[in-house]
Amino acid sequence: MSFLKNLEERENFLLQFRDKVKLSSVDLIRCWKYYDKNGNGFVEGDEVSRLVKDLIAKEDEDPHNQKRYEKEIKTHFADERGRITIQTMAELLPLEENFLKTFGDVKAEDFEEIFDHYAQSNPQALNKDEVMAFIRDLLLTSPNAVGVGIATLEKHTEKILLVADVDDNGMLSKKELRMLLASN
């Protein structure tokens, strides 16, 4: 039975999130990296088709309707060249509220809960995607924030890892993140 479930999930990337009511920022980054196959910072062309197919898979499997939905998404959500940005994907997917905003002013005693929220793959360290999700939420806590592009997230992630990843393993441990946050 698990073979069939794994096969089904490979055919539709979004199915792995089907039991979640809302997706986290880490889930958003994982979705983004899955659909932006060529890594150019946009979901476009066949990538949009795959995203639409996965979004409507359980609702409507008629291929004619898929084309109609794809046209609607490109009309209402994509830029003039039919490309979807990470900000747009955040509008299309059911995301939870920005986790960091739920704290208001973050205090030292909030650190463990915040770290645990983002450390989904390893309880001892944040991988690159998890650091990127943390940065996204952190940047979006600003009252003037309207959206954060993938290029900005990648740039900030690289800089933070360069500065704070003292053991150079491509991840941020609790200690490394704590030192980074304490220095600001």
Side-chain angles (χ1 to χ4, degrees):
M1 189 65 158
S2 76
F3 170 76
L4 291 177
K5 183 179 178 228
N6 288 338
L7 181 62
E8 185 180 75
E9 286 179 0
R10 270 186 277 158
E11 290 186 18
N12 183 335
F13 182 76
L14 294 176
L15 283 179
Q16 66 184 300
F17 304 110
R18 70 178 166 263
D19 294 332
K20 288 188 168 186
V21 175
K22 300 280 186 178
L23 303 179
S24 71
S25 292
V26 175
D27 297 330
L28 172 65
I29 298 298
R30 288 183 181 140
C31 288
W32 178 260
K33 289 191 172 200
Y34 178 82
Y35 290 103
D36 182 19
K37 294 284 188 200
N38 61 9
N40 70 345
F42 299 97
V43 173
E44 59 189 346
D46 291 343
E47 297 166 341
V48 173
S49 299
R50 180 60 191 234
L51 173 62
V52 171
K53 180 181 178 210
D54 288 354
L55 281 170
I56 67 168
K58 293 296 180 190
E59 305 295 322
D60 191 342
E61 296 186 10
D62 183 341
H64 298 301
N65 287 340
Q66 181 182 337
K67 290 292 181 195
R68 185 175 57 106
Y69 289 130
E70 188 174 329
K71 183 178 177 185
E72 288 292 319
I73 285 177
K74 284 182 177 178
T75 300
H76 298 290
F77 292 98
D79 68 11
E80 64 280 351
R81 296 195 284 185
R83 303 177 309 179
I84 293 175
T85 64
I86 193 167
Q87 297 98 313
T88 304
M89 184 178 275
E91 293 173 27
L92 290 170
L93 298 176
L95 292 182
E96 68 185 11
E97 181 182 352
N98 181 330
F99 187 72
L100 294 178
K101 282 187 177 180
T102 62
F103 288 92
D105 291 331
V106 178
K107 297 167 189 62
E109 58 266 17
D110 299 326
F111 179 81
E112 289 295 325
E113 185 177 354
I114 291 170
F115 188 88
D116 291 345
H117 177 79
Y118 292 96
Q120 294 183 6
S121 63
N122 175 347
Q124 301 303 313
L126 302 180
N127 68 27
K128 190 174 182 178
D129 292 348
E130 294 161 346
V131 170
M132 192 178 293
F134 174 75
I135 292 168
R136 177 186 178 273
D137 284 354
L138 189 61
L139 291 173
L140 291 176
T141 58
S142 166
N144 301 328
V146 289
V148 181
I150 195 68
T152 300
L153 290 173
E154 288 172 344
K155 180 180 77 173
H156 286 305
T157 301
E158 291 302 321
K159 285 181 180 179
I160 284 176
L161 287 172
L162 185 67
V163 170
D165 181 18
V166 291
D167 59 4
D168 203 28
N169 65 354
M171 302 172 84
L172 285 184
S173 67
K174 283 184 181 183
K175 181 179 178 183
E176 291 167 334
L177 183 59
R178 194 181 309 268
M179 286 179 9
L180 175 71
L181 295 175
S183 69
N184 291 324

